[in-house]
Amino acid sequence: MLFFLGVLVVVVGVALSIALHEIGHLVPAKKFGVKVTQYMVGFGPTVWSRKRGETEYGIKAIPLGGYVRMIGMLPPRPGDKPGELRTLSTGRFSQMVDQARADSMEEVRPGDEDRVFYKLSPGKKIVIMLGGPVMNLIIAFVLITGVITLYGLPHVAPKVGLLSACVPTTAPTLQVPQPACKPGDPVAPAKAAGLQERDRIVSVDGKPVSTWDQVTSAIRDSKGATMAWVVERGGHQVTIAITPAVLERATYDDQGNPVARDGKPVLASMGFAGITPGQELVRTPIAQAPGFVRDRLVDTASIIVKIPEKMTGVVQAAFGSGARDPNGPISVVGVGRIGGEVAALDIPADEGGNWVKLAQLILLIASLNLALFVFNLVPLLPLDGGHVAGAVWEAIKRGWARLRHRPDPGFVDVAKGLPIAYGMSLVLITMSVLLIYADIVKPIKLFG
């Protein structure tokens, strides 16, 4: 039940994100006088619709997108008039472009000639087409800011997360710098001393600690000597004596990679207690929220740029024995599945319980909105960025003509980019089908 509830939350979040994206186009279009005939969330057969004024508002069966239909998106060729479009082309793509022009001009009724999109100034076109992506960015900013400032983000704290079962006796290698336990290995010092998960470390050998780095430094420098720890457990302070083991352990550089020499890891003697750190929620000051969102935006953009090369791994995993890359692209189906897994997590109430899961679901929807913002800025039709690129080019051409005292060159004919739009649409559909298939037969599992 929790799994399906998580999926439902994601589906509703995606639908609202799409609806608000299209409102980002709808509002400025109406403000600038463009006639909008349809506002639809989804594709395919219409499930529900109502007409208000000149615009039909509705929901369609396939919730994988949406659209706002504005009349006159494509300019006619010079000399063409509504209802009198000339067919001059013989090539297949050219005929498709001509047909698209004809369909666009058929929407222009008598009296609507000055309410078409293509007659807007380049600035107004840009505002309308950026309205959708910017709405996604606003959604992401509000959701992320709300979570990190009101709820908080997990940070490493001086408390016990997990306890190792043993002191590994296998020598480290470059392939396995941190060996796992095997039968016969001695019990880890922390476990043997009676330390428990979620214990908060107050002091080590009488010295107060406030960070995990202080704890690890004390363990590494212990040289096997018994240490007196004071931990907070259930509201009470408990003193525990721990004698760390001394091991030859792999060393790491600033990037977290094992240091090697002559093909072997560089080892160093250090204390080992067998503890991994716990985490605590720390609220982020609201002044730091823009920087945090900016960093997530940069991370999202870097992932989207790598989608073409990562699709190879998706295909290999879907049709072969390879594993899915947890940092690779996923479809809406995959996002919904992750939402279900988050909702089904068994998180104790004293660790946040349902609040933790709700925060993760909100951040998941926020991440999707960041992806929608970045992806729609790609300067290729049929994406919003393609229309923005056309408007920018129109502004450049007109500005250059004014500087040279030349006649106005007129509207940029974005219809010439339709062959690219058709090809891009085919690519997007193919990618979507492959990702949906991969998310069904070999989904990414982030929680085991």
Side-chain angles (χ1 to χ4, degrees):
M1 179 63 71
L2 288 176
F3 180 88
F4 289 108
L5 180 60
V7 173
L8 179 61
V9 169
V10 171
V11 169
V12 172
V14 169
L16 289 175
S17 298
I18 293 171
L20 291 172
H21 173 102
E22 298 306 333
I23 286 177
H25 294 308
L26 176 73
V27 172
K30 284 181 171 289
K31 180 69 175 178
F32 296 146
V34 178
K35 183 176 180 179
V36 180
T37 59
Q38 281 189 317
Y39 165 90
M40 291 289 170
V41 177
F43 298 113
T46 300
V47 175
W48 171 89
S49 70
R50 289 288 185 275
K51 192 163 186 178
R52 295 289 184 269
E54 62 188 16
T55 306
E56 180 188 9
Y57 300 85
I59 300 173
K60 290 184 173 285
I62 305 174
L64 296 179
Y67 63 91
V68 169
R69 187 182 296 279
M70 295 174 278
I71 67 170
M73 289 294 292
L74 302 179
R77 287 189 301 259
D80 286 343
K81 298 179 181 179
E84 300 179 357
L85 192 69
R86 298 167 294 160
T87 301
L88 304 177
S89 306
T90 57
R92 184 175 180 180
F93 280 114
S94 297
Q95 290 179 348
M96 293 173 66
V97 171
D98 286 341
Q99 184 59 50
R101 287 188 203 273
D103 295 339
S104 178
M105 296 301 291
E106 283 180 1
E107 297 177 332
V108 182
R109 305 301 181 190
D112 293 336
E113 293 83 2
D114 293 325
R115 301 188 63 195
V116 292
F117 177 82
Y118 73 83
K119 285 187 177 181
L120 293 176
S121 67
K124 291 181 178 180
K125 291 179 182 177
I126 292 171
V127 169
I128 291 174
M129 299 316 300
L130 284 183
V134 168
M135 183 66 78
N136 291 125
L137 181 60
I138 292 173
I139 294 170
F141 181 85
V142 170
L143 294 180
I144 292 174
T145 300
V147 169
I148 67 176
T149 59
L150 301 177
Y151 179 74
L153 289 174
H155 288 259
V156 173
K159 62 187 297 185
V160 179
L162 297 175
L163 295 170
S164 299
C166 75
V167 178
T169 56
T170 305
T173 65
L174 284 178
Q175 291 73 30
V176 187
Q178 302 292 339
C181 293
K182 65 179 182 180
D185 286 347
V187 178
K191 190 176 185 68
L195 209 63
Q196 297 180 11
E197 293 179 4
R198 297 195 292 277
D199 281 350
R200 183 178 184 85
I201 304 165
V202 178
S203 67
V204 176
D205 285 337
K207 297 179 180 179
V209 296
S210 58
T211 67
W212 181 252
D213 286 341
Q214 293 173 317
V215 177
T216 55
S217 295
I219 294 172
R220 289 173 182 170
D221 298 340
S222 65
K223 299 180 180 179
T226 300
M227 311 168 69
W229 287 20
V230 176
V231 301
E232 186 176 315
R233 180 186 299 168
H236 302 283
Q237 290 192 350
V238 180
T239 300
I240 295 177
I242 299 178
T243 306
V246 178
L247 298 179
E248 294 291 313
R249 306 290 283 177
T251 56
Y252 295 85
D253 59 21
D254 294 338
Q255 285 72 44
N257 301 313
V259 179
R261 183 181 298 121
D262 298 328
K264 297 180 180 180
V266 175
L267 306 180
S269 294
M270 60 185 70
F272 172 82
I275 310 171
T276 57
Q279 294 182 330
E280 288 182 339
L281 292 173
V282 177
R283 293 180 179 177
T284 302
I286 194 167
Q288 297 179 16
F292 184 88
V293 175
R294 179 201 61 217
D295 293 341
R296 302 292 78 73
L297 186 60
V298 171
D299 293 341
T300 301
S302 65
I303 292 173
I304 288 180
V305 168
K306 297 177 182 177
I307 283 181
E309 65 180 83
K310 286 184 176 290
M311 284 303 298
T312 302
V314 172
V315 173
Q316 291 173 346
F319 298 98
S321 57
R324 289 287 298 276
D325 179 2
N327 296 316
I330 59 175
S331 68
V332 175
V333 172
V335 174
R337 187 168 193 140
I338 291 174
E341 291 179 356
V342 169
L345 288 174
D346 185 15
I347 302 176
D350 61 348
E351 294 184 11
N354 292 332
W355 288 109
V356 173
K357 295 188 280 188
L358 178 61
Q360 292 301 317
L361 288 173
I362 292 174
L363 289 176
L364 182 62
I365 295 171
S367 297
L368 180 64
N369 275 276
L370 285 180
L372 289 173
F373 169 74
V374 174
F375 187 69
N376 274 286
L377 293 184
V378 175
L380 293 173
L381 294 173
L383 300 175
D384 297 331
H387 291 284
V388 172
V392 170
W393 180 236
E394 182 176 312
I396 292 173
K397 287 182 63 177
R398 288 182 162 181
W400 182 245
R402 284 195 297 270
L403 286 174
R404 302 179 66 189
H405 304 289
R406 296 288 182 86
D408 187 338
F411 312 109
V412 166
D413 190 1
V414 294
K416 293 180 179 179
L418 285 179
I420 297 176
Y422 298 144
M424 186 70 175
S425 298
L426 181 61
V427 170
L428 293 177
I429 292 172
T430 302
M431 287 176 54
S432 298
V433 171
L434 284 173
L435 286 172
I436 291 173
Y437 178 77
D439 286 334
I440 293 174
V441 301
K442 192 167 290 185
I444 293 176
K445 296 184 179 181
L446 300 181
F447 306 101

